[in-house]
Amino acid sequence: MTTDSRSSGTQNTYAHLDEDPAFALHRGGKLQVTSTVDVSDHEGLALAYTPGVARVCDAIAETPELVETHTWKSNLVAVVTDGTAVLGLGDIGPEASLPVMEGKSLLFKQFGGVDSVPIALACTDVDDIVETVVRMAPSFGGINLEDIAAPRCFEIERKLRERLDIPVFHDDQHGTAIVTVAALHNAARLTGRTLGDLRAVVSGAGAAGVAVTKMLLDGGIGDIAVADSKGMIYQGREGLTPVKQELADISNKAGVRGSIESALVGADVFIGLSAGEVPETVVATMADDAIIFAMANPNPEVHPDVARKYASVVATGRSDFPNQINNVLAFPGVFRGAFDAGATDITENMKLAAATALAALVGDDLTADYVIPSSFDERVAPAVANAIAEQARKDGVARR
């Protein structure tokens, strides 16, 4: 028997990586498929496969809704990416995105009891992605779009929602928005205010920045303005994309122009969803009882040690600081609730209901270091799921 020298050489080259616990954990992947029934004899085989399976197939062909109760479709999410905006790593391609997509599936199962399959696509064209997802959609109960670069992600989500009768959810947008709105609601409450009392500045007009801004506007924030790499977005600014033009039309009522540094003077809230750095001298110009959510990973736009000098509440996207804005607080419960209600869509009201339920879990335990529950709080997924399902029925998108 011969040995492939190329394969052997590759194994030798990377063998030392398992000294890193992250590599050791990922060896062999983080997922596997397991059966829910025992097939240990001929009788079981005849029921699980031929000839018994044919009776179930015929029944589904005659009564399509049986697919919801007699397959795993109603509890199965496709976690879809093209690998163009992965975890702050950028456009690293579909293969390199798989460890993240596997991790997403692991979290779906652990926190929401939802099964999912990572699907990394070798295409980036909007219509190619849409057609691919539409054609495989009969196998799934929901679609979770993940790590797809803006602005394509907006059009992909819109087209899929138009064409599919199952929930489509872009987690980088809406998961981030749900958790941010929940945390900001509690931060405002802690400082004796409501969302309507706040003027916020958002750094970043990508997927998360756009969704957070829109959701905060739906939630009643006083004013909110968004900055991209060229400065503040406002009505009349030249060269805006359609997505940014929409932001200009609905945000920045004060008409703030120029740099984000000038916009932060007197601002109540900073929400960082970009890789930019905000100098301490600028942070110092914010209003009293400022709120700083610096969520860039791994390096927040404002280091928490600096932010705490000037802000009453500080949150980041990191697990080693208090108040982690983590999407795992949202997406498992969102899909759990959508599946429980048989929802055909995830509406804006459902997202706001999820944020309200998440914020309510903090209750009277609210402190500057606790404006959002922990990712390991076992109350989170059920609370979000119940809110999603209840609102789905109110919004008329529930089938049960």
Side-chain angles (χ1 to χ4, degrees):
M1 185 175 73
T2 60
T3 300
D4 188 332
S5 61
R6 292 172 300 174
S7 175
S8 176
T10 298
Q11 291 177 359
N12 290 336
T13 299
Y14 293 105
H16 71 283
L17 292 178
D18 281 351
E19 298 172 6
D20 181 330
F23 280 87
L25 182 145
H26 282 79
R27 180 172 287 277
K30 300 192 290 288
L31 302 173
Q32 65 178 0
V33 175
T34 60
S35 62
T36 60
V37 296
D38 180 35
V39 179
S40 57
D41 53 31
H42 288 291
E43 182 180 0
L45 182 60
L47 290 173
Y49 201 52
T50 187
V53 71
R55 300 198 296 275
V56 181
C57 292
D58 283 340
I60 293 173
E62 293 178 6
T63 311
E65 56 266 30
L66 286 176
V67 74
E68 301 291 335
T69 54
H70 287 73
T71 72
W72 70 338
K73 174 184 170 77
S74 63
N75 195 56
L76 184 64
V77 175
V79 181
V80 179
T81 189
D82 64 359
T84 57
V86 180
L87 265 191
L89 300 173
D91 186 355
I92 60 175
E95 288 86 355
S97 75
L98 274 175
V100 177
M101 300 308 114
E102 287 185 8
K104 203 78 176 187
S105 290
L106 184 156
L107 298 177
F108 263 118
K109 189 65 173 180
Q110 179 168 336
F111 292 102
V114 174
D115 294 314
S116 61
V117 177
I119 297 174
L121 302 178
C123 58
T124 57
D125 178 78
V126 168
D127 290 333
D128 285 347
I129 292 174
V130 170
E131 286 301 324
T132 301
V133 174
V134 167
R135 291 178 185 183
M136 69 183 185
S139 295
F140 297 93
I143 307 296
N144 184 92
L145 300 173
E146 193 76 24
D147 293 353
I148 299 173
R152 291 178 302 107
C153 60
F154 304 115
E155 189 175 2
I156 290 168
E157 184 194 33
R158 177 181 61 78
K159 288 187 173 184
L160 286 174
R161 290 182 67 186
E162 290 172 353
R163 295 183 60 178
L164 298 177
D165 64 351
I166 58 176
V168 177
F169 186 80
H170 185 203
D171 187 49
D172 301 310
Q173 292 185 62
H174 310 302
T176 305
I178 288 169
V179 183
T180 301
V181 171
L184 188 56
H185 172 82
N186 279 336
R189 180 163 69 93
L190 181 69
T191 57
R193 295 172 289 183
T194 67
L195 290 182
D197 298 320
L198 304 178
R199 179 172 77 85
V201 176
V202 177
S203 175
V210 170
V212 166
T213 299
K214 288 183 175 180
M215 193 167 174
L216 282 171
L217 286 167
D218 288 342
I221 196 164
D223 194 12
I224 187 167
V226 185
D228 63 10
S229 60
K230 297 180 181 179
M232 303 308 300
I233 294 172
Y234 56 88
Q235 284 188 329
R237 202 184 99 175
E238 295 182 356
L240 294 176
T241 65
V243 171
K244 292 180 182 180
Q245 183 59 58
E246 182 185 3
L247 278 182
D249 293 340
I250 63 175
S251 67
N252 198 357
K253 291 187 297 187
V256 178
R257 303 188 179 197
S259 67
I260 189 171
E261 289 82 5
S262 61
L264 280 170
V265 176
D268 301 295
V269 181
F270 169 75
I271 299 174
L273 293 162
S274 70
E277 182 179 348
V278 179
E280 181 174 351
T281 54
V282 175
V283 176
T285 68
M286 294 180 66
D288 293 339
D289 282 330
I291 299 166
I292 295 177
F293 289 3
M295 295 185 281
N297 272 319
N299 300 311
E301 292 88 351
V302 184
H303 193 279
D305 292 342
V306 173
R308 289 192 190 98
K309 295 180 183 179
Y310 308 96
S312 294
V313 180
V314 178
T316 72
R318 288 174 42 159
S319 60
D320 53 346
F321 293 109
N323 298 324
Q324 184 188 20
I325 307 297
N326 191 333
N327 290 12
V328 76
L329 292 166
F331 67 83
V334 167
F335 275 94
R336 178 73 276 147
F339 285 167
D340 290 347
T344 58
D345 193 14
I346 297 173
T347 66
E348 300 307 309
N349 286 337
M350 290 163 70
K351 298 167 196 171
L352 281 171
T356 299
L358 187 56
L361 291 177
V362 172
D364 294 336
D365 295 327
L366 180 65
T367 67
D369 285 343
Y370 183 57
V371 298
I372 197 73
S374 163
S375 301
F376 295 98
D377 187 329
E378 295 181 353
R379 301 172 300 161
V380 168
V384 171
N386 289 338
I388 287 285
E390 181 179 348
Q391 191 63 50
R393 297 183 182 104
K394 292 179 179 177
D395 288 353
V397 296
R399 287 179 283 205
R400 53 179 175 267

